[in-house]
Amino acid sequence: MGLLDKVERGIEKAVRGVFSTGSKAQVEPVEIASRLRREVDHKAITIAAGRTLVPNIFDVLLSDEDFQRAQEWGTPLAEELCDVVINHVRSQGYILQGPVRISFRRDESHRAGDFEITSKTEKSSGSAAPAPAAPRANVPAAPSRQPVRLQPVLDIDGQRYSLNAPSVVLGRSSEADILVDDTGVSRRHLEIQTHSGTTTAVDLGSTNGSYVNGHKVAGSMELTDGSTITMGRTKIIFRLLPANNGGRP
């Protein structure tokens, strides 16, 4: 989406010198931003009708080389990454129990260019101060959405994504709401629209086309429970689950 794309371009501009020297393999800020969004989606859990809880505390585990670079620019980079998480949470209609905080940590088990993200949910005490690495991350929990009977979700390569927004774009670009790492997928390939309980797939002029249950999407096509969407080599299952199981099992 446009806002996230601008944020990521801002990250690159602010710290392009940080990750541009040293070893051949190096972590890029946009990689961290993309991995954070995946971590949020992966850990999403529906705790009640229309209430999907996601983590708000993140640790980015880096090699010695990458940690030294990240530490030098820790606060500006952490603030921008917090914005990435917050905007993704809002776009998907998730809820938070406390401020988003991101920390960089050294992990000797990782090589240069390799990193890992761990996350957890931490309830705000109301008096706790934000972590030094993310002083702008104090954001109140998003309001809960209206209860619904069925929750539309997408199952992609073992991960489940709740479709909590009226429009969700899938593609290979960082501006897509759901990143699909497939060379046969266009940068902005497919849009999933949900209105008044009806969900449709809209092809966004992709190079290789989109297919629902083997039929090419010409314009748009309504999705039903169990529909199979094919983009490039990627198969996606659309499901309608009871609201109390709408997040990840």
Side-chain angles (χ1 to χ4, degrees), residues 5 31 52 69 101 109 113-114 123-124 137-138 143 149 153 179 194 210-211 213 232:
D5 192 46
E31 293 179 280
T52 302
R69 302 185 188 102
R101 300 205 300 265
S109 66
D114 183 26
K123 190 173 183 179
S124 174
N138 259 332
R149 285 184 175 275
V153 303
L179 180 65
T194 303
S210 305
Y211 297 81
N213 297 329

Side-chain angles (χ1 to χ4, degrees), residues 1-195:
M1 67 181 65
L3 180 57
L4 287 179
D5 192 46
K6 290 179 182 178
V7 170
E8 291 182 349
R9 286 201 297 268
I11 296 171
E12 290 180 297
K13 181 178 179 181
V15 297
R16 60 172 177 262
V18 178
F19 296 107
S20 61
T21 60
S23 60
K24 293 181 180 179
Q26 51 201 4
V27 174
E28 297 290 347
V30 291
E31 293 179 280
I32 300 177
S34 177
R35 190 83 64 86
L36 281 167
R37 286 197 297 262
R38 293 188 192 183
E39 180 71 11
V40 168
D41 291 331
H42 181 72
K43 293 293 182 65
I45 300 176
T46 295
I47 56 177
R51 292 173 56 86
T52 302
L53 180 67
V54 294
N56 59 305
I57 306 298
F58 302 87
D59 286 336
V60 183
L61 309 181
L62 300 162
S63 68
D64 287 337
E65 296 91 335
D66 289 324
F67 176 77
Q68 291 173 8
R69 302 185 188 102
Q71 188 71 3
E72 181 179 352
W73 293 80
T75 298
L77 179 56
E79 288 178 351
E80 295 290 354
L81 292 173
C82 283
D83 288 343
V84 168
V85 171
I86 291 165
N87 281 303
H88 186 62
V89 167
R90 288 173 176 166
S91 73
Q92 294 300 305
Y94 297 144
I95 62 172
L96 299 165
Q97 284 200 332
V100 173
R101 300 205 300 265
I102 295 175
S103 302
F104 301 109
R105 302 193 184 280
R106 179 187 288 110
D107 189 324
E108 296 181 353
S109 66
H110 288 79
R111 297 178 298 176
D114 183 26
F115 71 99
E116 179 183 356
I117 292 178
T118 61
S119 64
K120 63 180 180 179
T121 299
E122 184 176 290
K123 190 173 183 179
S124 174
S125 63
S127 60
R136 294 192 300 142
N138 259 332
V139 176
S144 61
R145 298 174 64 84
Q146 293 296 321
V148 294
R149 285 184 175 275
L150 294 176
Q151 173 66 52
V153 303
L154 296 178
D155 286 340
I156 309 175
D157 293 333
Q159 295 191 31
R160 175 161 292 168
Y161 300 84
S162 295
L163 300 176
N164 294 314
S167 171
V168 176
V169 174
L170 289 76
R172 194 161 47 89
S173 169
S174 60
E175 66 181 349
D177 298 312
I178 298 178
L179 180 65
V180 180
D181 189 13
D182 183 337
T183 56
V185 172
S186 299
R187 292 175 59 81
R188 287 173 56 85
H189 193 109
L190 185 73
E191 181 182 18
I192 304 296
Q193 298 180 352
T194 303
H195 298 289

